[in-house]
Amino acid sequence: MNAYDSARMADVMAPHGFAPVDVPEDADMVVLNTCHIREKAAEKVYSELGRMRALKRAKSEKGERLIVAVAGCVAQAEGEEILRRADVVDIVVGPQVYHRLPEMVARLARGEKALDTEFPVVDKFDALPEAKSVEGPAAFLTVQEGCDKFCTFCVVPYTRGAEYSRSVAQIEEEARRLTDLGAREITLLGQNVNAYHGAGPDGQAWGLGRLIRRLARIDGLKRLRYTTSHPRDMDDELIAAHRDEEKLMPYLHLPVQAGSDAVLEAMNRGHTADDYRRLVGRIRAARPDIALSSDFIVGFPSESEADFEATLSLVREIDYAQSFSFKYSPRPGTPAAAARKQVPEAVKAERLERLQALLNAQADAFSQACVGREIDVLFEKAGRHAGQLIGRSPYLQAVHAHAGSHKIGDIARVRVTQKMSHSLGAELVTGAAAMAVAL
Ligand code: SAM
Ligand code: SF4
């Protein structure tokens, strides 16, 4: 979502003469778009601001100016604290008001530092300009923001605010525009994307399944994905969309976080491990080839060795194609941060290592099982070798292939020939014209 927001900020600043540059040294304005989800991400901002201070000084010695803005969830959570801790910062702008960046830059010209962390969410999407270009054939589109679930470890409800869904009409218009600009795949985004309940053209609230069916009617659009989903919001309509809708890719990120009911309850996830197993069963019955991925938190307060083993056993049962796992990071203001029974860092680290060994083995096995199979790849960028393109499989794996006459934006059928550490090698399936991959 930060990638989507950064692109929108560039769109907002474009009419005011700003265009993206590759390195901060070439910039008149630097926007750090930040993440507050774990402490490490938040702390990175302050070390980056140290670099910006040196750059600003160097530029001012040459008589040049540099505006430094902090955007995103760290801006939302820390607000004025950022201006106090880092005097290099000129602008602090929360994720719901970045459409006001030009006004804030104008205030700076009058000598005032600017801080805005309001939550007028409806405003933002109405005020944002249309996208003028896409970065490649795979685009993002935010359909939902914020969260009302209040998991006890998570800052999102505080930094992104209450759940809000954009209207079907507004999303469809943006999807058509992205497609006209060259997008062939769109990933629908939301902190809790399957809680989507936007106003439909019939005046009813539409769920994500219905929205996906509507967007699948857009001609040039070939693939749809969505992320991130909550198990509790995986309704029948959405599962049926996985069964029926060819354009909806058979890959689902469905975070479970932990496999112990006691931990799930302490996290306020609102479901048990068995609820999750049954849900996965229903999804796999509807779409047998679906690949699943998940997020995991290890070392949540009071997590015992037995609780952690329940996570390992759930992982063994579900068998994930890919996963993201983290040590629990106490976040200021969240209930779990105040819990008395915090798990020592060394225990967290040791559990994370064991979990990741299992998850990596499953991901490797999934990729290995693709070798010899024919799959469709959407080519997204040039590879390192002449004539080679890199694309994505339906399961989101990076695939390298000699692309023949295919170009970026094409979908081609390939046969997977090789599993590499983070990608697959493949050859085009074009009968006699098939070429071997040189990697
Ligand atoms: N809404 C999604 C859900 O409910 O599963 C997750 C969105 S959250 C922005 C992304 C991931 O960050 C979570 O799934 C969780 O694994 C991780 N995360 C959130 N807060 C965390 C914390 N305090 N410590 C470690 N990981 C955290
Ligand atoms: Fe955070 Fe997801 Fe829980 Fe919402 S549902 S509070 S975004 S982890």
Side-chain angles (χ1 to χ4, degrees), residues 30 51 79 88 91 99 129 141-142 162 199 215 279 291 352 389 400 424:
V30 169
R51 279 186 51 204
V88 63
I91 291 174
H99 57 288
L141 200 174
T142 293
L215 298 179
L279 174 61
L352 186 66
L389 293 179
H400 303 241
L424 299 173

Side-chain angles (χ1 to χ4, degrees), residues 321-340:
Q322 209 197 337
S323 282
F324 305 89
S325 44
F326 317 101
K327 287 191 276 187
Y328 167 68
S329 166
R331 306 309 295 126
T334 59
R340 272 184 296 117

